[in-house]
Amino acid sequence: AALSCRRLQPTLAMADPQLLAALDLMRRMPPSRCETSLEELVDLVPHLTDDLLNTIDQPLQTAKDAQGNAYLLCDYNRDGDSYRSPWTNEYDPPLSDGVLPSPKLRAMETLANDIFEGYREMYYEGGISSVYFWDLDESSFAACVLVKKDAEEKKKLEAGNWDAIHVVEVRPLGPKRAAYKLTTTIMLRIKTGHAVGVHEGEMNLSGSLTRQKEEELAVGDVASHVANMGRMVEEMENRMRDTLQSIYFGKTKSVVNGLYQSGGAEANKKKDMLAQALMAEMGKRNAD
């Protein structure tokens, strides 16, 4: 039950007023200290631990299975204190009665992990990806596609990471059609160094963006489900990347430029006066 309640059954999580207050508090905390804030909340209201872990997005953590394969940890591959590897389908620490996908879903999961590994190499040129499937009922299922990329330290970039969480709910509409509901959350963190003369400082930029999309698509075999989900994830990531770059980073750059002018106010004033003088001179020549 813990594997399917996070976004797919939000009304259950929203029933407790104390939980609502905790979620409201988390929205007001700095995203850069998400893990610390969540730990403190769990200490304050331990009876809401499962609901908080199921509801609040956290930066993805990594682990390696017994065969040395790297995979990502999240609530969707957790059972108690153990996490399941998508490569070996085994829990670490081992569980004798851990929740496992059905054979049909396991086949889809294996295919999806291979496909999204190629997707990650093509778009991210590195990082780690993991895909997990689980049953919702007799005919419906859900999947979670995770991608994590840590930036390499270079020049003024001190640290940075991108965490993408895609949750897809699939419900059949007949033998040849299915409804897909995609919920995507992207968490971004960037830490840069900045120096002007002898003065040094740093900039911490972090936050998350969530979007949803629903589609009805044609299906055939098992591979068609994976293809449909892959296409939706690809389109959503491209759209959200454009939004982050044009709106959030563009707006931040505009605000910073308005607050701080690298050439100084006096130098910019001289540039404006020179531009006005050139425009006036060109206007006179055109008139003659």
Side-chain angles (χ1 to χ4, degrees), residues 141-209:
F141 65 91
C144 177
V145 180
L146 308 172
V147 183
K148 182 180 184 66
K149 173 69 181 289
D150 292 324
E152 298 178 1
E153 293 186 22
K154 57 177 64 175
K155 294 184 179 179
K156 295 181 179 180
L157 180 62
E158 297 179 3
N161 53 64
W162 169 291
D163 295 315
I165 304 173
H166 306 273
V167 181
V168 188
E169 182 180 0
V170 183
R171 299 191 180 278
L173 299 176
K176 298 293 184 179
R177 205 160 184 82
Y180 298 83
K181 181 179 180 181
L182 170 65
T183 302
T184 296
T185 297
I186 290 178
M187 290 173 282
L188 182 65
R189 292 183 178 186
I190 297 176
K191 182 180 179 181
T192 62
H194 185 65
V196 179
V198 296
H199 303 288
E200 295 186 359
E202 64 180 29
M203 183 188 73
N204 243 318
L205 181 63
S206 59
S208 63
L209 184 65

